[in-house]
Amino acid sequence: MERAKHRIEKNYSQSLRNWEKIKNPTTKEMTPNSFSEMGWGRLVFAHTFNANDKIVETMCSHGDICRDIAMYVIDPHVIISMAHDKLFIDPSHTYRLWNYDYRYDNQKQNIAFSINRLSNEDEAEQVNAIYAKCHMKGADPQFLLDKHANKLRTYFIAKRRSDDQVIGIVTGIDHVEAFNDPEGGSSLWSLAVDPQAGIPSVGISLVRQIAAHYFTKARVFMDVSVMHNNEHAISLYKKLGFQRIPVFCIKRKNTINESLYIPENKDLNQLNPYARLIVDEAKRRGIVTDAVDADYGLFKLSLGSRSITCRESLSEMTTAVAMTKCDDKSLTRKLVEKAGVTVPRQTKHVGHESDLEFLEKVKRVVVKPARGEQGSGISVDISNPDELKAAVKKAESVCSVVLIEEYIPGEDLRIIVIDHKVIAAAVRKPPSITGTGSHTISDLIHKHNRRRMSATGGESRIPDDDETLRCLRKEGYNYDSILEKGKTITVRKTANLHTGGTIHDVTDELSDALIAASVIVSKTLDIPVTGLDFIVPDIHLNAYAFIEANERPGLANHEPQPTAERFIDLLFPESVS
């Protein structure tokens, strides 16, 4: 107890001594009026400025598209009073990791991913894609690859070994290079992990890598600024030994930072991510937004004398007839097959014997309710009589009419069509986990769910149910099994986001046949906004099987494609700039 108390007092005393140095810097030793270009904006080192008005001038000299940050601000209240219409105090905390207090990681290299320096344009493009998924501002690839800035800015990326894809990024700034820091500090910025990486410990490994990089260069500390309500990130930093220090940060009032300084409408704030995406785009265009029922995702948009009520991406422009055509999967299939679209063989459940006859004919089947959404009641890749009977019973719990469909192997493709034009496309992959050699499958699923729930606003998780257990048993495991280190298994056959699936944008890679089929389906159903599901052996080829249509697709799942923009274009064409 005494040792712990002594350590806390030592760290606190060190923090105060260094804070005194910041408040009273030796300006001859530091480069005055220093800032570093970051690609997403400028990092302004406020304690290197000898006058507050110079800080204000520097922060206000850039336009509305930059995410400029003034760090180590000594007199934030004074600066805000000088430009309260342009600047605000960022609601973030600053944490510091001391070199002398850091415990290095002596574990073996992670078998699932590697960590390297950012080195080429393809990696830089993947980094920007991750930033987009995490709602962060990216940077020009050439800026990220600027060899002349290597000592100032350091980028480490995590790459998945199985496919060599970038799944994480962290940026470091060397304060000695930035402004000849007499304290010998450094800082960490823009830590981002692909929400769909499916591998634990990526973020903490990147932080450890950047810490080791600077501490082996004899840097005294590494700071990080983190939003006050980002509990997951704060927990990670505290786990590594970061301690909160009294440092303030100032940002520019612009559209990028609007949510940080303008009070949000509490009712609109309660909308789910699918509704919020649309509402935010409408607000950006000056369209009046009102929440009708936040729990139901219901809101009203008004411009001039015109008002339209929506439930997420389902609007009053979708007729009841179009809804009917989408709602009953057997009717959808009948209509699009008649229009010349390729569909798998299908039958309705009328009895176990006829079900078995169909199974014998096609060998592998998908069992699903005729009406339903978000993957409820669906069982994929059923190949034996007992599984078939159980799958029919599960589907009947959702809808009394059950469809048994030929299982088509391939990739699960969702295409978004708005106003009969293909706007976005994504391959949906079933949820998978990668073993650590020490965690049970139950633990790994829990970790996966925590990351996915955080990344999707609580919309995506692997259910703890009989279907997940069935899929695990097919792989030879159960919930209590220890999954081998580095081994990846699929824990569920369905690729729906709501049951833990992940989404990978392929909009620019679709074949002409898939685009044509999508337009035919949307026109056949006469529906202005729809999400179409296909099974394809390869998105670049013409072969496909149409599965079903969704009248209320989740547009937020397809960022950064402009789904919300095109949806508002459809509802309010006069708002198009």
Side-chain angles (χ1 to χ4, degrees):
M1 192 68 166
E2 285 299 318
R3 290 179 62 188
K5 181 180 178 183
H6 174 72
R7 183 178 176 184
I8 291 172
E9 290 175 347
K10 176 183 176 183
N11 290 338
Y12 181 69
S13 297
Q14 184 66 43
S15 295
L16 290 179
R17 286 196 297 273
N18 281 276
W19 180 239
E20 286 300 322
K21 289 181 181 179
I22 290 175
K23 288 169 63 179
N24 301 290
T26 307
T27 53
K28 290 183 180 179
E29 296 180 358
M30 290 195 295
T31 306
N33 303 336
S34 293
F35 60 84
S36 295
E37 295 286 353
M38 301 296 291
W40 38 257
R42 297 178 300 177
L43 181 56
V44 177
F45 299 100
H47 62 309
T48 67
F49 286 69
N50 56 17
N52 287 331
D53 59 341
K54 286 290 185 181
I55 298 175
V56 172
E57 181 184 336
T58 302
M59 286 296 292
C60 296
S61 61
H62 268 201
D64 286 344
I65 62 170
C66 296
R67 197 182 287 272
D68 289 357
I69 300 173
M71 193 72 174
Y72 308 111
V73 182
I74 299 170
D75 299 319
H77 54 302
V78 176
I79 291 175
I80 295 302
S81 72
M82 297 169 68
H84 58 84
D85 60 325
K86 296 183 176 67
L87 303 174
F88 68 99
I89 298 177
D90 187 46
S92 59
H93 296 324
T94 303
Y95 286 83
R96 175 166 291 180
L97 183 65
W98 297 99
N99 188 336
Y100 67 82
D101 206 29
Y102 177 59
R103 294 185 179 182
Y104 287 82
D105 183 17
N106 295 319
Q107 294 183 356
K108 293 181 180 178
Q109 191 175 25
N110 195 298
I111 198 169
F113 61 88
S114 61
I115 295 181
N116 311 98
R117 295 280 191 115
L118 180 68
S119 62
N120 60 59
E121 190 166 343
D122 180 58
E123 291 174 347
E125 294 285 0
Q126 292 182 57
V127 163
N128 279 331
I130 292 174
Y131 284 145
K133 290 179 185 178
C134 296
H135 305 286
M136 298 167 67
K137 187 173 174 61
D140 183 87
Q142 294 307 314
F143 178 89
L144 296 176
L145 295 170
D146 182 6
K147 302 301 181 184
H148 298 293
N150 274 356
K151 289 184 179 181
L152 170 64
R153 296 188 306 270
T154 299
Y155 302 99
F156 282 112
I157 57 172
K159 298 185 76 172
R160 191 163 44 213
R161 294 185 190 275
S162 61
D163 57 9
D164 211 32
Q165 290 295 297
V166 178
I167 56 174
I169 172 72
V170 69
T171 305
I173 291 290
D174 189 334
H175 293 185
V176 175
E177 295 292 333
F179 57 91
N180 197 26
D181 184 9
E183 291 186 279
S186 62
S187 54
L188 178 159
W189 298 90
S190 303
L191 173 66
V193 177
D194 188 339
Q196 303 181 152
I199 300 173
S201 305
V202 177
I204 199 168
S205 298
L206 285 166
V207 176
R208 283 192 175 279
Q209 182 72 34
I210 201 77
H213 169 72
Y214 284 126
F215 291 166
T216 54
K217 291 180 67 174
R219 297 300 174 253
V220 178
F221 61 80
M222 183 172 71
D223 288 347
V224 61
S225 177
V226 56
M227 292 305 299
H228 71 99
N229 57 357
N230 191 344
E231 296 177 1
H232 179 67
I234 289 173
S235 175
L236 181 151
Y237 294 129
K238 285 184 175 180
K239 182 178 179 180
L240 287 171
F242 281 80
Q243 302 160 27
R244 189 174 165 188
I245 59 172
V247 166
F248 293 98
C249 174
I250 283 178
K251 290 182 179 177
R252 174 79 184 270
K253 284 184 176 179
N254 55 25
T255 54
I256 295 173
N257 296 317
E258 192 173 273
S259 62
L260 299 176
Y261 64 88
I262 292 181
E264 292 190 272
N265 182 309
K266 290 183 178 180
D267 291 332
L268 292 176
N269 196 36
Q270 292 173 4
L271 291 169
N272 64 37
Y274 304 107
R276 279 297 300 274
L277 180 77
I278 296 167
V279 165
D280 288 346
E281 174 60 22
K283 286 167 61 180
R284 189 185 67 79
R285 300 193 192 189
I287 296 170
V288 177
T289 58
D290 293 295
V292 177
D293 190 308
D295 292 337
Y296 205 63
L298 205 63
F299 56 90
K300 184 169 72 172
L301 306 178
S302 304
L303 183 64
S305 60
R306 187 169 183 229
S307 293
I308 299 178
T309 300
C310 307
R311 184 189 176 199
E312 299 167 9
S313 64
L314 177 63
S315 76
E316 294 172 327
M317 294 186 69
T318 297
T319 67
V321 173
M323 280 272 294
T324 301
K325 292 176 182 178
C326 282
D327 187 48
D328 188 323
K329 295 177 176 63
S330 60
L331 176 60
T332 307
R333 180 185 181 280
K334 186 188 301 183
L335 293 171
V336 301
E337 183 181 26
K338 188 176 180 180
V341 175
T342 305
V343 295
R345 288 175 286 181
Q346 187 185 90
T347 187
K348 284 187 180 180
H349 161 71
V350 293
H352 190 55
E353 291 304 317
S354 60
D355 295 348
L356 290 177
E357 288 179 11
F358 187 75
L359 177 63
E360 180 65 27
K361 184 188 300 183
V362 301
K363 306 305 180 186
R364 300 161 73 185
V365 299
V366 175
V367 180
K368 60 186 180 183
R371 302 175 68 185
E373 60 181 6
Q374 298 182 353
S376 298
I378 298 178
S379 299
V380 178
D381 195 9
I382 301 296
S383 56
N384 71 62
D386 290 337
E387 284 186 342
L388 179 58
K389 184 179 287 187
V392 168
K393 185 178 179 180
K394 184 174 77 171
E396 284 179 325
S397 69
V398 177
C399 177
S400 59
V401 179
V402 175
L403 305 176
I404 303 175
E405 188 173 84
E406 176 185 10
Y407 171 75
I408 307 291
E411 294 191 293
D412 186 320
L413 176 67
R414 163 62 65 92
I415 298 178
I416 300 295
V417 183
I418 299 177
D419 198 18
H420 307 307
K421 301 180 185 68
V422 171
I423 304 302
V427 168
R428 303 188 298 178
K429 295 185 178 181
S432 61
I433 55 174
T434 301
T436 62
S438 58
H439 292 89
T440 66
I441 286 178
S442 178
D443 289 337
L444 293 172
I445 289 176
H446 175 74
K447 288 176 178 291
H448 174 98
N449 283 345
R450 186 179 64 192
R451 291 191 300 271
R452 296 293 293 136
M453 292 281 279
S454 175
T456 62
E459 295 292 322
S460 179
R461 65 180 301 277
I462 301 169
D464 180 7
D465 61 10
D466 291 340
E467 177 63 13
T468 301
L469 184 58
R470 181 185 75 83
C471 295
L472 288 174
R473 285 174 174 164
K474 269 184 170 287
E475 298 276 359
Y477 298 95
N478 58 46
Y479 284 118
D480 296 324
S481 302
I482 302 292
L483 187 59
E484 298 91 324
K485 187 173 183 178
K487 182 169 184 178
T488 300
I489 61 169
T490 299
V491 298
R492 206 172 173 92
K493 292 288 186 178
T494 52
N496 299 74
L497 177 82
H498 294 85
T499 54
T502 56
I503 298 174
H504 308 267
D505 183 69
V506 294
T507 305
D508 297 330
E509 303 174 47
L510 290 181
S511 68
D512 292 340
L514 281 167
I515 293 173
S518 299
V519 174
I520 289 171
V521 171
S522 73
K523 288 183 176 179
T524 299
L525 301 178
D526 194 20
I527 188 165
V529 180
T530 183
L532 307 177
D533 294 341
F534 294 83
I535 296 295
V536 295
D538 189 319
I539 59 171
H540 305 97
L541 303 178
N542 292 333
Y544 68 86
F546 170 77
I547 304 301
E548 61 186 58
N550 188 318
E551 73 279 1
R552 185 167 51 92
L555 302 185
N557 299 335
H558 296 271
E559 291 186 286
Q561 296 300 332
T563 52
E565 290 94 321
R566 299 295 84 80
F567 180 72
I568 298 297
D569 289 352
L570 173 71
L571 269 53
F572 298 97
E574 64 272 30
S575 71
V576 178
S577 56

